[in-house]
């Protein structure tokens, strides 16, 4: 496990609408403009989850503008937590139950017990991921699932790239996990690793271009049509993990 040292970092000030619209080079070029591509990928994630739990109450932590929740609500009773006020308000305007804030004990308690808790590329952003996972584990009903995706710090790509790894982007990414560190953290919380793989992902071309420009220190903007194009990609440096609660933490 790796940890970034960041001084005086304020997540509330950082994760605003600017983070989703090109305001930070380590954010998104145009999240809203990529809705069609993002929902196509999220629909695949929903089907992956349904193979393990076809229905129930589902919470997404870090739900952004609610595109995953829109796909999931066809099968689940959904709710979300989102730090960015603009994104949370967008979700609520579209009829989604989304609380603005962080996944603390009070917020999770208010939302109630869950069958599934989802953190898609979120855990690496959290100031205290172990504490958050512990709260999530307590909020799950027996047999419930936590589904998360995050970079694989132990992957060949991460080891080869070193400090230039594409996911080494503090203060955006604060933590860097390997398969082993995820397993050890989960075991302490009475969560069993039911699945760990490195799936292909459909990524907006505009986001790929945005990240490449950051790595190459270029400043040109993305073409508008690039938000509508999705590219299957897999560098085998990002994990998808399913954790199942078998006993009370």
């Amino acid at each position: 496990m790796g940890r970034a040292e960041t001084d005086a970092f304020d997540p509330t000030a950082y994760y605003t609408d600017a983070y989703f619209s090109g305001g930070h080079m380590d954010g998104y070029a145009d999240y809203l403009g990529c809705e069609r591509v993002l929902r196509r990928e999220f629909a695949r994630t929903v089907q992956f989850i349904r193979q393990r739990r076809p229905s129930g109450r589902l919470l997404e932590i870090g739900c952004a503008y609610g595109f995953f929740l829109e796909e999931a609500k066809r099968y689940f009773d959904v709710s979300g937590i989102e730090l960015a006020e603009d994104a949370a308000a967008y979700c609520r305007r579209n009829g989604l139950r989304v609380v603005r804030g962080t996944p603390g004990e009070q917020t999770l308690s208010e939302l109630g017990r869950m069958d599934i808790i989802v953190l898609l590329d979120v855990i690496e952003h959290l100031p205290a991921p172990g504490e958050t996972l512990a709260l999530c584990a307590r909020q799950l009903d027996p047999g419930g699932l936590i589904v998360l995706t995050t970079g694989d710090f132990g992957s060949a790509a991460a080891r080869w790239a070193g400090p230039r790894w594409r996911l080494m982007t503090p203060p955006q990414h604060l933590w860097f996990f390997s398969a082993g560190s995820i397993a050890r953290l989960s075991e302490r919380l009475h969560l069993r690793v039911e699945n760990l793989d490195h799936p292909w992902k459909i990524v907006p071309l505009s986001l790929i271009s945005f990240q490449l420009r950051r790595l190459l220190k270029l400043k040109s903007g993305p073409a508008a049509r690039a938000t509508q194009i999705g590219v299957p990609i897999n560098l085998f440096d990002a994990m998808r993990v399913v954790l199942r609660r078998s006993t009370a933490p």
Side-chain angles (χ1 to χ4, degrees):
M1 180 185 292
R3 178 184 179 184
E5 294 292 341
T6 54
D7 295 328
F9 175 58
D10 181 2
T12 303
Y14 190 81
Y15 295 112
T16 64
D17 57 338
Y19 176 78
F20 294 100
S21 58
H24 297 298
M25 282 303 293
D26 51 3
Y28 291 89
D30 182 4
Y31 194 95
L32 284 172
C34 295
E35 178 175 1
R36 185 173 69 179
V37 176
L38 293 170
R39 288 184 63 158
R40 180 181 169 195
E41 171 60 26
F42 289 147
R44 297 171 69 241
T45 302
V46 170
Q47 292 307 316
F48 172 81
I49 293 172
R50 292 191 69 233
Q51 293 173 8
R52 289 155 178 81
R53 189 87 180 209
S55 62
R57 301 195 69 209
L58 180 148
L59 169 66
E60 183 184 12
I61 295 175
C63 62
Y65 287 83
F67 299 157
F68 173 82
L69 293 178
E70 290 286 358
E71 295 298 321
K73 73 179 185 181
R74 304 179 187 185
Y75 312 101
F76 301 98
D77 177 10
V78 303
S79 55
I81 300 173
E82 172 55 43
L83 180 59
E85 175 57 37
D86 181 74
Y90 183 94
C91 292
R92 292 193 294 268
R93 288 197 299 271
N94 284 282
L96 295 170
R97 184 191 183 194
V98 170
V99 177
R100 192 256 175 166
T102 57
E105 186 171 4
Q106 181 177 346
T107 301
L108 289 169
S109 179
E110 290 174 358
L111 290 171
R113 307 289 296 181
M114 294 292 163
D115 299 298
I116 306 156
I117 299 178
V118 179
L119 302 94
L120 301 178
D121 300 328
V122 166
I123 191 172
E124 62 271 18
H125 297 256
L126 300 174
E131 293 178 14
T132 299
L133 277 185
L135 290 172
C136 290
R138 290 203 295 269
Q139 209 63 27
L140 283 176
D141 281 333
L145 304 177
I146 295 175
V147 180
L148 65 89
T149 57
T150 190
D152 185 351
F153 196 36
S155 66
R159 291 176 180 274
W160 177 79
R164 293 183 60 83
W165 183 35
R166 67 185 183 93
L167 299 176
M168 187 73 70
T169 58
Q172 180 203 27
H173 292 167
L174 302 173
W175 295 89
F176 307 96
F177 298 91
S178 66
S181 61
I182 284 286
R184 288 189 294 273
L185 177 60
S186 303
E187 184 178 4
R188 292 200 298 268
L189 301 175
H190 302 277
L191 296 167
R192 174 171 54 88
V193 178
E194 186 169 277
N195 179 86
L196 192 154
D197 62 353
H198 298 77
W200 286 80
K201 187 175 182 179
I202 302 171
V203 181
L205 181 58
S206 62
L207 179 57
I208 297 173
S209 173
F210 201 59
Q211 291 187 349
L212 284 174
R213 287 198 309 278
R214 172 178 57 80
L215 291 171
L216 298 174
K217 303 185 186 306
L218 301 176
K219 295 183 179 180
S220 59
R225 66 178 180 274
T227 62
Q228 303 298 318
I229 301 171
V231 179
I233 191 168
N234 195 347
L235 301 179
F236 297 94
D237 62 348
M239 303 180 287
R240 177 174 60 187
V241 185
V242 179
L243 308 173
R244 187 178 293 273
R245 177 186 168 186
S246 54
T247 61

